[in-house]
Amino acid sequence: MFARLLSTSLLIFSCSAVLATEYRVGELQIDTPWSRALPPNAPAGAVYFTVKNGGLTADRLTGADTPNAAKTELHTHLRTGEVMRMQRIDSIEVPAGTAVKLAPGGHHIMIFKPKRPLAAGERFPLTLEFEKAGKVEIEVEVRSDAPASAGHEHH
Ligand SMILES: [Cu+2]
């Protein structure tokens, strides 16, 4: 009896966890949007997620917007000699049949002057705009650590 109750509750938990972190627009799927928790006076933060293109044509992320920031930009990291620095980019390519990871040390969405502190456990909406698939609103979870499924980009 106990074992049966336990397995039922585990099943319910895992289903809701998946539903809460996946978003679809057209042929695109956006997984596990998150932002790293920062001190209350931090001037900027970054948003990460994985976007999978299950379609047959390439798409690209062309912009993002959130009511929780004064300004939002698409960024990547570039290595110049031994120095890694961030640079603004106009778009992020999502080729057909691939998954593109926005992650620390790589592509990310920069949010400037967060209106509410990026405290662990907070959530805020973010609208993504894709060239072909159009707009989709996702919810970003503020976390002190990267989610297990997000991994890390190599520098
Ligand atoms: Cu940046």
Side-chain angles (χ1 to χ4, degrees):
M1 184 60 186
F2 175 73
R4 193 171 151 197
L5 278 176
L6 186 65
S7 63
T8 304
S9 60
L10 281 175
L11 187 65
I12 290 166
F13 175 77
S14 59
C15 286
S16 60
V18 168
L19 285 175
T21 57
E22 280 188 8
Y23 302 86
R24 285 186 170 276
V25 57
E27 301 289 343
L28 304 179
Q29 180 181 316
I30 294 110
D31 281 340
T32 325
W34 70 284
S35 182
R36 193 179 297 285
L38 293 173
N41 57 351
V47 174
Y48 314 105
F49 51 81
T50 298
V51 54
K52 294 177 191 157
N53 184 348
L56 296 174
T57 53
D59 206 339
R60 67 177 75 194
L61 179 64
T62 54
D65 193 27
T66 175
N68 194 35
K71 190 172 68 158
T72 308
E73 293 180 354
L74 306 181
H75 277 193
T76 194
H77 276 89
L78 292 178
R79 179 189 285 275
T80 309
E82 291 299 301
V83 182
M84 292 289 290
R85 61 186 181 82
M86 295 194 298
Q87 179 165 309
R88 185 178 184 180
I89 49 178
D90 290 333
S91 65
I92 296 173
E93 298 286 332
V94 191
T98 66
V100 173
K101 190 174 282 186
L102 281 68
H107 297 325
H108 55 279
I109 294 171
M110 204 83 203
I111 59 172
F112 294 94
K113 296 184 184 165
K115 292 177 182 167
R116 281 165 52 200
L118 297 170
E122 285 282 329
R123 289 171 172 273
F124 61 89
L126 180 74
T127 301
L128 304 178
E129 186 163 7
F130 293 92
E131 188 178 69
K132 296 198 177 84
K135 289 185 178 181
V136 59
E137 185 178 302
I138 64 174
E139 191 177 55
V140 179
E141 183 185 3
V142 182
R143 306 172 55 107
S144 45
D145 286 307
S149 60
H152 288 274
E153 209 88 323
H154 292 285
H155 288 210

